[in-house]
């Protein structure tokens, strides 16, 4: 889910380092993950422990990753797409079922996340959650004096020019649909039109539509309110203590990035060994500390030393918040196009 | 540095013709082979792929020919994005031309050694990544940015330039200005000084000399410059995203969005429309370019 630009230099150094390592057993595993979405030292530990060489590559967007898997040009063994994309891959027969006998550490994954994952992977046959988070409002306490608990504040004329909206079609509509009391996976055109009208009314109030930049702009005090992913919110509050994150009472989107094994994987058992390693509580904790995106690993959570992070409602929201959140489903190509269409209509005067 | 040679194509090609007889035509053909392979692999084939995607529907069951993707441009939102793109890139091109021509004149006139240094200064920003330069402009224009910090310090009202069309035009002009200066400069320094001297001898004043001699002779450079500023401005989506805060949607943004969600068909269809507009503008330009040098870019 993290969309920031890949530190390609880092990646290159890593790849050089990995090739230099060589491998003893000749066993390999091809991993394809989001940019800056792992503690890189974990990969070395995995190689040391198992003797399996990791060939690690990164992507910025689900949509970059999908055509590569679909074309089969490179056969990856482990990929980490987001919820709706996993559903699309299952529907298009690109994934294979995971053999859970090879992943004993699966037991550490909290069942409540598996329940959420059923939205896109019914029966939890194809995917194992790696990171998750919510979408919410980040606000600057010095610029907003009223309590923030509703998406409604993003449509309040009082904050005209002080609102940073999210530049993502599905996330943008999710906010409007949820505020109106509709399902964020709605395919009802009337509901979409109503949401569009709301977003259109919001357009003049919005300072800018951003994704990654929301982080720096909010830290710098460019705006009073911004829409942000929870994983980023931990970082922003550290940098600027005036910033607070809230998941609105109407509910929100819960997103889950999960490990899957593509159909044309040539090293399925190595893939399962890798996923198992990632589910190890110690390893999951290291990754969490490196990237600050919430881990679904309950044992890793137990190991967190810092009480403040452990009980952080941002990283680990209470159950009632989670109950209000829904995961995205893939809505099909036509519906996705319609969403874009309406999003652009909302954004033109 | 390749830019320097753009307007030289004519002289190069004529020298090729002369050199051809001594080298032997077959050998010259062989030398062009790498370029032809490159062109087929990375220009022709991708174009064909775009045309294929643009003219077919995404439905796997009936992968039929359709004009639906092209027709997307008729949608009011997309059409407005295209119109705005055309407007903003025309304005930027015009501003670039007005800034670049006098500069190129001054550069070509002065016989100082500092010339190379000044040309260097124009190119220098291009050594930095395009994205970084644009983000730097964002930091300059932002509400808490450099300009407004200074204004606040002087107790002056804040300027709200960021996230407006003005910011986008500014970004385009800044990023593409060197592409206008260099071709014009190249043409101007190649104008035979004797031609200018002859005009003056025959009684033309400096305005007449400029209008009747220098300007007509510099048209090929101007055409190259216009093409090299107009085309990237028309297709940009990065500048409008960063400096326009995605509040202002250009046609490049619409195309990018479609590709981002994986709808290659719609994205390609709109790309074909955009290509059509680029080709039309080049055709119009080439009418004025009797020397055919602007066209030789392509």
């Amino acid at each position: 889910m993290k969309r920031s630009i890949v530190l390609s230099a880092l990646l290159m150094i890593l790849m050089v380092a990995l090739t230099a390592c060589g491998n003893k057993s000749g066993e390999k595993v091809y991993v394809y993950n989001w940019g800056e979405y792992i503690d890189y030292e974990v990969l070395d530990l995995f190689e040391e422990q198992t003797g399996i060489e990791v060939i690690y590559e990164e992507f910025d967007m689900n949509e970059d990753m999908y055509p590569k898997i679909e074309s089969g040009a490179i056969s990856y063994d482990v990929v980490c797409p987001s919820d709706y994309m996993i559903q699309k891959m299952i529907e298009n027969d690109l994934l294979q079922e995971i053999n859970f006998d090879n992943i004993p550490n699966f037991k550490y994954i909290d069942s409540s996340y598996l329940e959420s994952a059923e939205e896109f992977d019914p029966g939890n046959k194809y995917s194992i959650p790696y990171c998750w988070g919510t979408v919410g409002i980040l606000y600057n306490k010095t610029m907003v004096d009223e309590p923030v608990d509703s998406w409604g504040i993003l449509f309040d004329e009082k904050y005209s020019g002080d609102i940073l909206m999210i530049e993502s079609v599905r996330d943008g509509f999710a906010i409007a649909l949820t505020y109106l009391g509709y399902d964020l996976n709605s395919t009802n055109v009337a509901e979409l039109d109503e949401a569009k009208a709301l977003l259109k009314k919001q357009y003049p109030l919005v300072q800018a539509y951003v994704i990654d930049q929301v982080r720096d702009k909010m830290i710098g005090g460019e705006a009073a309110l911004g829409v942000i992913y929870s994983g980023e919110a931990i970082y922003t509050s550290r940098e600027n203590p005036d910033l607070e994150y809230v998941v609105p009472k109407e509910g929100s989107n819960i997103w889950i990035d999960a490990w899957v094994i593509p159909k044309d994987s040539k090293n399925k058992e190595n893939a399962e060994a890798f996923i198992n390693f990632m589910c190890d509580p110690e390893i999951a904790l290291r990754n969490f500390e490196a990237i600050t995106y919430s881990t679904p690993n309950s044992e890793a959570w137990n190991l967190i030393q810092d009480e403040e992070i452990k009980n952080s409602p941002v990283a680990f929201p209470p159950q009632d918040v989670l109950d209000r959140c829904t995961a995205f489903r893939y809505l099909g190509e036509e519906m996705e196009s319609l969403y874009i269409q309406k999003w652009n209509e909302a954004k033109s005067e | 540095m390749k830019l320097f040679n753009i307007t030289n194509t004519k002289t190069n090609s004529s020298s090729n013709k002369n050199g051809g007889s001594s080298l032997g035509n077959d050998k010259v053909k062989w030398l062009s082979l790498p370029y032809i392979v490159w062109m087929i692999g990375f220009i022709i084939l991708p174009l064909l792929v775009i045309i294929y995607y643009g003219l077919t529907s995404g439905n796997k069951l009936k992968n039929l020919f359709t004009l639906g993707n092209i027709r997307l441009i008729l949608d009011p939102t997309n059409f407005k994005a295209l119109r705005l793109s055309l407007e903003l890139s025309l304005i930027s091109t015009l501003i670039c031309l007005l800034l670049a021509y006098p500069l190129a004149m001054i550069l070509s006139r002065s016989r100082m050694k500092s010339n190379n240094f000044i040309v260097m200064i124009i190119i220098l920003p291009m050594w930095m990544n395009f994205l970084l330069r644009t983000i730097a402009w964002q930091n300059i224009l932002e509400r808490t940015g450099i300009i407004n910090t200074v204004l606040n310090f002087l107790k002056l009202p804040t300027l709200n330039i960021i996230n407006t069309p003005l910011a986008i035009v500014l970004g385009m002009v800044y990023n593409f200005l060197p592409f206008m200066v260099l071709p014009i400069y190249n043409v101007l320094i190649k104008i035979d000084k004797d031609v200018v001297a002859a005009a003056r001898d025959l009684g033309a004043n400096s305005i007449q000399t400029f209008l009747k001699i220098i300007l007509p002779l510099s048209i090929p450079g101007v055409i190259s410059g216009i093409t090299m500023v107009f085309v990237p401005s028309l297709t940009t989506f990065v500048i409008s995203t960063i400096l326009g805060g995605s509040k202002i949607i250009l046609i490049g943004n619409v195309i990018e969005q479609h590709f981002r969600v994986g709808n290659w068909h719609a994205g390609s269809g709109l790309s074909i429309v955009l290509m059509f507009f680029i080709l039309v503008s080049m055709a119009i330009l080439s009418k004025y370019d009797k020397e055919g040098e602007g066209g030789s870019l392509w």
Side-chain angles (χ1 to χ4, degrees):
Chain A
M1 214 65 190
K2 185 155 180 184
R3 285 149 199 242
S4 60
I5 295 159
V6 186
L7 281 177
S8 49
L10 191 64
L11 180 66
M12 273 167 69
I13 293 167
L14 186 80
M15 276 159 61
V16 170
L18 289 180
T19 20
C21 277
N23 65 316
K24 301 100 212 166
S25 58
E27 290 289 325
K28 288 180 181 174
V29 61
Y30 290 80
V31 181
Y32 200 29
N33 193 7
W34 290 90
E36 293 175 75
Y37 211 42
I38 200 166
D39 179 351
Y40 293 101
E41 284 171 24
V42 160
L43 300 175
D44 294 338
L45 288 176
F46 175 73
E47 290 188 332
E48 270 169 38
Q49 272 194 23
T50 60
I52 299 169
E53 187 189 351
V54 181
I55 293 107
Y56 189 79
E57 288 181 31
E58 301 184 331
F59 58 88
D60 281 341
M61 288 187 294
N62 284 308
E63 286 70 22
D64 290 342
M65 173 276 305
Y66 182 82
K68 277 202 180 179
I69 304 293
E70 191 189 29
S71 70
I74 311 161
S75 62
Y76 292 103
D77 301 312
V78 185
V79 189
C80 183
S82 308
D83 33 49
Y84 70 98
M85 187 53 76
I86 293 174
Q87 186 191 354
K88 183 178 177 181
M89 293 172 91
I90 295 172
E91 280 173 17
N92 290 330
D93 198 25
L94 294 174
L95 302 181
Q96 50 179 311
E97 291 188 17
I98 295 171
N99 179 0
F100 286 85
D101 294 340
N102 290 336
I103 306 181
N105 289 337
F106 178 66
K107 62 175 181 278
Y108 298 121
I109 305 295
D110 196 289
S111 61
S112 64
Y113 305 111
L114 295 175
E115 219 171 279
S116 298
E118 296 238 19
E119 188 86 32
F120 55 86
D121 176 13
N124 297 114
K125 284 186 241 157
Y126 295 93
S127 65
I128 295 182
Y130 171 54
C131 285
W132 64 277
T134 54
V135 178
I137 300 173
L138 187 72
Y139 65 99
N140 192 319
K141 281 182 279 186
T142 60
M143 295 158 101
V144 183
D145 1 317
E146 60 191 299
V148 180
D149 64 348
S150 160
W151 291 117
I153 199 164
L154 296 177
F155 304 99
D156 189 339
E157 283 176 24
K158 205 163 79 184
Y159 298 102
S160 176
D162 273 327
I163 298 165
L164 292 174
M165 190 60 180
I166 196 160
E167 174 53 0
S168 154
V169 178
R170 284 297 299 273
D171 286 318
F173 265 100
I175 290 169
L177 287 167
T178 314
Y179 180 60
L180 292 168
Y182 300 131
D183 179 14
L184 50 73
N185 288 312
S186 173
T187 52
N188 179 325
V189 178
E191 289 176 5
L192 282 181
D193 277 330
E194 210 178 314
K196 184 191 92 181
L198 185 65
L199 291 168
K200 203 177 175 76
K201 239 175 64 192
Q202 186 201 25
Y203 172 82
L205 312 177
V206 174
Q207 183 190 106
Y209 293 83
V210 287
I211 295 186
D212 289 337
Q213 294 165 18
V214 67
R215 202 163 74 170
D216 294 333
K217 280 182 190 266
M218 288 304 291
I219 291 171
E222 271 286 298
L225 298 152
V227 179
I228 200 167
Y229 298 118
S230 55
E232 304 282 350
I234 296 172
Y235 172 82
T236 51
S237 320
R238 265 186 212 156
E239 294 291 311
N240 182 347
D242 290 334
L243 298 177
E244 197 133 311
Y245 176 83
V246 65
V247 177
K249 61 178 183 225
E250 293 92 354
S252 183
N253 167 231
I254 177 173
W255 52 264
I256 297 174
D257 293 342
W259 299 115
V260 296
I261 303 178
K263 197 134 220 171
D264 56 1
S265 159
K266 294 194 181 71
N267 309 293
K268 186 166 185 255
E269 283 184 12
N270 295 349
E272 282 158 352
F274 183 83
I275 297 174
N276 187 46
F277 192 73
M278 289 297 135
C279 293
D280 180 277
E282 296 276 351
I283 299 298
L285 178 66
R286 287 190 68 149
N287 284 331
F288 170 70
E289 283 172 350
I291 63 176
T292 70
Y293 276 82
S294 314
T295 172
N297 193 308
S298 52
E299 194 54 33
W301 181 80
N302 283 333
L303 293 172
I304 297 174
Q305 300 288 328
D306 187 343
E307 285 297 319
E308 207 175 311
I309 291 288
K310 196 171 182 175
N311 300 316
S312 156
V314 179
F316 303 101
Q319 194 56 44
D320 64 306
V321 172
L322 292 182
D323 289 343
R324 298 199 298 266
C325 293
T326 320
F328 279 139
R329 269 200 320 271
Y330 174 60
L331 303 176
E333 207 163 280
E334 264 173 51
M335 213 59 209
E336 300 270 324
S337 278
L338 189 70
Y339 264 79
I340 296 181
Q341 189 71 30
K342 301 222 172 281
W343 178 248
N344 286 344
E345 280 168 23
K347 277 168 66 181
S348 68
E349 290 145 292
Chain B
M1 292 310 193
K2 213 178 93 189
L3 286 175
F4 279 112
N5 296 326
I6 284 161
T7 47
N8 292 344
T9 346
K10 196 182 144 205
T11 30
N12 287 346
S13 60
S14 59
S15 66
N16 270 352
K17 264 176 233 155
N18 301 337
S21 50
S22 58
L23 257 172
N25 270 328
D26 287 349
K27 276 184 188 163
V28 175
K29 271 182 197 155
W30 269 106
L31 286 175
S32 66
L33 191 68
Y35 177 66
I36 290 171
V37 171
W38 176 273
M39 207 169 69
I40 291 173
F42 297 106
I43 299 173
I44 310 274
L45 281 180
L47 271 177
L48 291 177
V49 172
I50 288 178
I51 291 169
Y52 167 76
Y53 272 104
L55 295 178
T56 50
S57 72
N59 197 329
K60 281 216 174 76
L61 295 174
K62 36 174 188 171
N63 212 348
L64 291 172
F65 172 79
T66 171
L67 286 176
N69 301 316
I70 308 274
R71 233 181 277 129
L72 277 177
I73 198 63
L74 296 176
D75 171 84
T77 325
N78 295 344
F79 188 72
K80 236 187 71 186
L82 178 65
R83 212 182 54 203
L84 190 64
S85 298
L86 285 167
E87 275 172 22
L88 294 186
S89 40
L90 273 175
I91 294 171
S92 315
T93 312
L94 197 66
I95 296 175
C96 278
L97 184 60
L98 292 178
L99 289 175
Y101 204 99
L103 179 62
M105 283 280 278
I106 296 166
L107 281 178
S108 68
R109 288 277 174 85
S110 66
R111 286 258 147 262
M112 288 178 298
K113 280 191 176 168
S114 60
N115 261 13
N116 280 336
F117 177 70
I118 297 172
V119 173
M120 174 89 162
I121 284 186
I122 295 169
I123 303 176
L124 205 61
M126 299 206 292
W127 290 9
M128 251 175 294
N129 184 286
F130 167 78
L131 210 59
L132 287 182
R133 280 181 281 142
T134 311
I135 291 171
W137 267 106
Q138 188 187 31
N139 288 332
I140 294 172
L141 298 177
E142 260 177 348
R143 278 209 275 175
T144 52
I146 294 169
I147 291 181
N148 281 326
T149 312
V150 174
L151 288 177
N152 281 347
F153 182 72
L154 299 172
K155 305 271 179 255
L156 292 168
T158 46
L159 275 179
N160 273 322
I161 301 177
I162 193 80
N163 308 331
T164 64
L166 179 63
I168 296 179
V169 171
L170 204 65
M172 287 176 177
V173 171
Y174 174 76
N175 277 311
F176 303 131
L177 186 62
F179 296 97
M180 185 69 93
V181 176
L182 295 175
I184 297 178
Y185 170 73
N186 267 309
V187 174
L188 288 178
I189 53 167
K190 295 233 164 55
I191 292 177
D192 195 339
K193 290 287 170 288
D194 292 344
V195 179
V196 179
R200 299 304 290 266
D201 275 353
L202 294 169
N205 62 27
S206 53
I207 296 173
Q208 282 171 319
T209 318
F210 174 75
L211 289 178
K212 300 216 159 164
I213 307 292
I214 299 176
L215 188 62
L217 284 176
S218 67
I219 288 296
V222 172
I223 301 281
S224 294
I226 290 177
T227 321
M228 298 196 62
V229 172
F230 182 71
V231 173
S233 304
L234 186 62
T235 51
T236 187
F237 63 87
V238 175
I239 296 177
S240 48
T241 303
I242 296 175
L243 296 177
S246 298
K247 274 198 89 173
I248 295 143
I249 307 172
L250 300 184
I251 190 70
N253 296 90
V254 179
I255 295 172
E256 191 240 351
Q257 264 172 348
H258 281 296
F259 276 101
R260 199 164 57 186
V261 297
N263 191 345
W264 290 22
H265 299 274
S268 302
L270 289 171
S271 299
I272 292 174
V273 175
L274 195 54
M275 269 192 275
F276 171 77
F277 273 87
I278 291 170
L279 286 175
V280 166
S281 62
M282 304 243 313
I284 294 171
L285 280 176
S286 66
K287 266 186 82 174
Y288 295 94
D289 180 18
K290 292 177 189 109
E291 304 283 307
E293 292 206 13
S296 65
L297 235 182
W298 308 82

